[in-house]
Amino acid sequence: MVDIVQTGNPVLRKKARQLAIEEIRSDIVQDIIVCMRDTMRKAPGVGLAAPQIGLSIQLIVIEDREEYHEKLTSIELIDRERYPVSFNVLINPQLTIIECDEINFFEGCLSIKGFQAMVPRAKSVRVQALNEQGIPVEVNASGWYARILQHEIDHLNGVLYIDRMNSTTFSTFENHEEFWRNKK
Ligand code: ZN
């Protein structure tokens, strides 16, 4: 586990470089994947991009565990189309928007600790990438998983949610709970 880089660090604003297949299979990258998985789980978060641990490479990890859903009502889960996603690694991802309808929900980022804002995201996306073995994979996702993918792949392009948010909704976690939780 390592510390998560916070906003203001230039590494979060750089375009990350792609990884070659031989690099993906190297011990170094395999160790980075384990480190990112453990760091994401410890946070806890549902996704982590390599720039968030200070590495400007195109590598993201995602995992949305059922236990993270306990604070949400069943209506909130349905509204968000949020369902568990098992641990997965995506390298050199290419994102295609499938349904561009904008869906607005609050989201946060482990690199902007303590805040949330309403961020419009496309409803469904397709991602073509390599997995941790360097094998091509395709992910078709809608709802919350599509949101996570868009958020994490933005990190690889030096983009943060604050670049896309509805800035008048930018809130601390406490104010989000007090003033926004039940609003859409
Ligand atoms: Zn983030």
Side-chain angles (χ1 to χ4, degrees), residues 57 80 116 118 136 145 173 175:
I57 54 175
R80 286 162 179 69
Q116 287 188 55
M118 190 95 81
Y145 190 18
F173 274 120
N175 283 336

Side-chain angles (χ1 to χ4, degrees), residues 47-49 52 107-112 151-152 155 159-161:
L48 192 69
Q52 293 181 277
E107 65 180 62
C109 177
L110 296 173
S111 294
I112 307 169
H151 178 117
E152 299 309 331
H155 273 301
V159 174
L160 299 174
Y161 81 77

Side-chain angles (χ1 to χ4, degrees), residues 47-107:
L48 192 69
Q52 293 181 277
I53 61 160
L55 299 172
S56 193
I57 54 175
Q58 291 191 22
L59 168 53
I60 64 177
V61 295
I62 291 177
E63 182 181 49
D64 193 1
R65 302 176 137 202
E66 203 155 7
E67 65 203 70
Y68 300 156
H69 302 174
E70 282 165 5
K71 283 190 183 151
L72 294 166
T73 65
S74 49
I75 291 170
E76 285 174 325
L77 290 172
I78 290 165
D79 274 353
R80 286 162 179 69
E81 281 187 69
R82 187 163 173 180
Y83 45 84
V85 177
S86 54
F87 177 74
N88 64 104
V89 177
L90 297 170
I91 296 166
N92 305 341
Q94 298 293 321
L95 181 126
T96 310
I97 304 286
I98 303 297
E99 285 175 271
C100 58
D101 318 20
E102 282 191 346
I103 309 293
N104 281 281
F105 280 110
F106 274 86
E107 65 180 62

Side-chain angles (χ1 to χ4, degrees), residues 102-172:
E102 282 191 346
I103 309 293
N104 281 281
F105 280 110
F106 274 86
E107 65 180 62
C109 177
L110 296 173
S111 294
I112 307 169
K113 231 191 285 184
F115 295 91
Q116 287 188 55
M118 190 95 81
V119 183
R121 297 285 186 188
K123 185 176 167 56
S124 64
V125 299
R126 173 176 306 135
V127 174
Q128 287 162 310
L130 300 174
N131 70 9
E132 67 277 18
Q133 295 158 329
I135 296 167
V137 289
E138 185 175 290
V139 178
N140 288 285
S142 69
W144 205 256
Y145 190 18
R147 176 172 295 269
I148 299 169
L149 287 162
Q150 290 169 79
H151 178 117
E152 299 309 331
I153 292 171
D154 268 354
H155 273 301
L156 304 182
N157 291 307
V159 174
L160 299 174
Y161 81 77
I162 50 176
D163 306 333
R164 301 189 185 277
M165 69 180 176
N166 171 344
S167 58
T168 60
T169 66
F170 188 59
S171 308
T172 62

